[in-house]
Each structure stands twice: as C-alpha cells, then as structure tokens.
Amino acid sequence: MEAMSLLAGLELAAGGGAGLSPEKRAALGSSLLLLQRDYRFERVWFWGRIQGLQGDYYIAEGLGPDRAAPRSRLYSLNCVEWSLLPPATREMVARAEQLKGRFQGDPSFEYKYAEISAEDAERLIEDGKEPVIKEEARLVATIELIDRAVGIVPRGAFVKTPLGSVHENRNFEGLSLTEAKKLSSYFHFTEPVNLKNKTLLEKADLDPSTDFLDSLEHDTPRGSWTVQLEKGGTVVVLRSLLWLGLTFYHVPMTKQYGYVYFGTGEKNLDLPFML
C-alpha cells in the first residue's frame, strides 16, 4: 500500500484483525517518507510485516519510473532504521522453498538444509560454502514468492506503453461495484505466465495497454481467494487462502486500492485438502 496513504490503507485492510499499534503507525508514517527521500524512490509501498519468534520484520518496497521493473526491498526491525535487501535470485528462492517453520526474527540466523542431497552438500563445501542459508536470504525469497503469487492490482490501474514500460494510469477512476466483485477484474502484478498461452482468438478481445497481466480467475487451486464487502458494502476486500495474511482492498469508483501482508511467511500447503 502507498506510504502516503498508510493510515487510511491500514484502516481499510484491518477487517481481518491484523494491524499496527499507534506507535508503529506513527514511526512508519515518518520513516517511510524519509526512506523515499534518502533513496530517491518515486514511490514507496509499505509491503507488510512478517512475524518472527524473537522479532518482526517490517517490509517496504521502493519503486522507480517503470513500475514493472524489479523493486528495491528494505526491512526494519523497529520501523525506524531500514536495511536494503539484496535482489532475489532463482537459487535463493529455490533454497528458501526447502525451509519449513517460523522465522526467528534475526537476520543473521543460519538455517541448515534439512533436505539436500549429498552431492549438493559436497559441491557447496568444495566451493567454500557451508550447506546453510541465512534468514536474510530466506526473507528476500519469501517476499518474492508472495509478490509473485498474490501481489495484485485492479484492472486498468496500470498501462503498458509501446516501449514496454509500465506506468500508473492517470485515467483510472476505480472499478464499478459490479466489476470489483469479480476475480477477473484483478491482475497479478508480476511477469505474466497464462497470458502467453492464450490463443489469438482469446487475445482479440484484450486491450494490450491494460490487459498485459494474468487475471486471478484462473488461479490454482480454485477457491484460493475470498471476496467480501466490508465497511457497509463500500470496500471490496480480497484475502488469499494460499498465503494467509495477504489482504487486498479497493474502494469502488475511487483510486484507493492496495495490499498488505501480516503473517508468518509460511505458505498454506494444506489448502488443496481444505477446499
């Protein structure tokens, strides 16, 4: 969610019971603006909080002119001091997916691989590396996985230029209430996968400037999203059952939308058996 409208966004997404204390809200409200100034970001998003056993990670994302470009991610343990995270790599994400259990809340904590072949362990030792992964790397990979799977935006909120860059749509005035209740009106804000597999006939009805992302309607497993009306029917809220703690909100007929994550950073692997 936008740092500039942090307090309003937290109120709209608070229906699930997650939120921040007044002290944390005040600290974030000032530190995120300083973060934007110091790092010269065009926009700063408050991504959410990953709960650890010893402490919590507060996550922010910095965006440049091209909204589809890789984002700069930062974390804080106290909502005041921020540290820049390294970019997520495929190897980092693959290794992090092997880890189970809660975060510790200590960036320097080292996990040992529970499931790693003898060949991989020997190769790591030969390279001068121990078969361990630091929690900071796991944090980077988990944020990347959540953004890929459940980081969403309303249809029409962003436009793709002929040169391939993505920008905010200044003409976007929000979805109608009827459209806002449909999963097809929301897109994954990441590199499309299903769109590339569509036939030319299916692509004929799409607007290439706005329909350049994957829709939520074909997400698997089916039923992994809940759509609810809150605040007297004035706010549409989507919650992910795959990554419990992810909440997206949109006020129909306005530009107010965003998502925030308050959870443990663990994927709900039991979801297929719960539906």
Side-chain angles (χ1 to χ4, degrees):
M1 63 177 63
E2 286 278 358
M4 297 292 292
S5 56
L6 178 65
L7 297 181
L10 288 173
E11 289 293 335
L12 294 173
L20 297 173
S21 66
E23 294 80 6
K24 296 296 184 186
R25 292 189 185 196
L28 280 173
S30 57
S31 67
L32 288 177
L33 296 180
L34 294 174
L35 195 69
Q36 181 175 354
R37 183 199 66 184
D38 294 342
Y39 283 87
R40 297 182 180 179
F41 295 133
E42 279 207 356
R43 291 289 178 88
V44 169
W45 287 355
F46 175 62
W47 185 88
R49 179 184 66 196
I50 292 182
Q51 300 167 352
L53 297 176
Q54 302 174 17
D56 298 338
Y57 295 104
Y58 298 88
I59 314 298
E61 293 186 328
L63 289 80
D66 184 357
R67 298 296 191 258
R71 305 167 207 164
S72 299
R73 296 183 173 119
L74 305 97
Y75 75 92
S76 174
L77 298 174
N78 56 10
C79 296
V80 177
E81 300 172 337
W82 295 88
S83 300
L84 190 64
L85 289 167
T89 62
R90 290 185 179 180
E91 182 182 11
M92 194 184 293
V93 172
R95 289 181 180 181
E97 285 185 305
Q98 300 176 16
L99 301 175
K100 309 295 180 186
R102 294 281 302 276
F103 278 79
Q104 297 298 312
D106 178 7
S108 61
F109 182 84
E110 294 182 341
Y111 297 89
K112 291 186 178 180
Y113 291 113
E115 302 173 5
I116 184 172
S117 65
E119 294 179 0
D120 290 340
E122 186 177 351
R123 178 174 55 82
L124 287 171
I125 293 173
E126 288 178 354
D127 293 340
K129 303 176 182 177
E130 294 186 19
V132 298
I133 180 174
K134 286 191 175 182
E135 183 156 280
E136 185 180 78
R138 184 190 180 190
L139 180 65
V140 173
T142 300
I143 297 170
E144 179 70 17
L145 287 169
I146 293 175
D147 265 345
R148 286 183 195 172
V150 291
I152 61 177
V153 294
R155 180 181 184 272
F158 291 86
V159 293
K160 188 173 185 179
T161 67
L163 298 177
S165 59
V166 175
H167 303 278
E168 293 175 1
N169 185 2
R170 296 182 179 180
N171 296 321
F172 178 71
E173 295 295 339
L175 301 171
S176 66
L177 181 58
T178 303
E179 292 296 320
K181 292 187 288 186
K182 300 178 182 178
L183 284 179
S184 58
S185 298
Y186 302 96
F187 292 156
H188 290 282
F189 198 40
T190 186
E191 187 70 23
V193 177
N194 298 329
L195 186 65
K196 299 176 182 178
N197 300 325
K198 287 183 179 291
T199 64
L200 291 176
L201 187 61
E202 291 175 319
K203 291 181 179 179
D205 295 330
L206 301 180
D207 184 343
S209 65
T210 55
D211 300 322
F212 58 93
L213 300 170
D214 285 335
S215 168
L216 268 61
E217 61 180 334
H218 301 301
D219 279 11
T220 55
R222 288 190 176 275
S224 61
W225 289 96
T226 65
V227 183
Q228 298 171 313
L229 291 176
E230 297 185 359
K231 306 286 185 182
T234 59
V235 182
V236 178
V237 176
L238 278 69
R239 292 188 175 89
S240 173
L241 301 180
L242 187 62
W243 288 94
L244 296 172
L246 191 287
T247 302
F248 172 89
Y249 65 90
H250 176 47
V251 181
M253 306 305 293
T254 74
K255 296 183 178 182
Q256 296 183 63
Y257 68 87
Y259 67 87
V260 67
Y261 179 81
F262 288 104
T264 60
E266 297 174 286
K267 190 175 183 180
N268 183 15
L269 300 176
D270 295 328
L271 180 59
F273 307 100
M274 297 166 62
L275 298 174

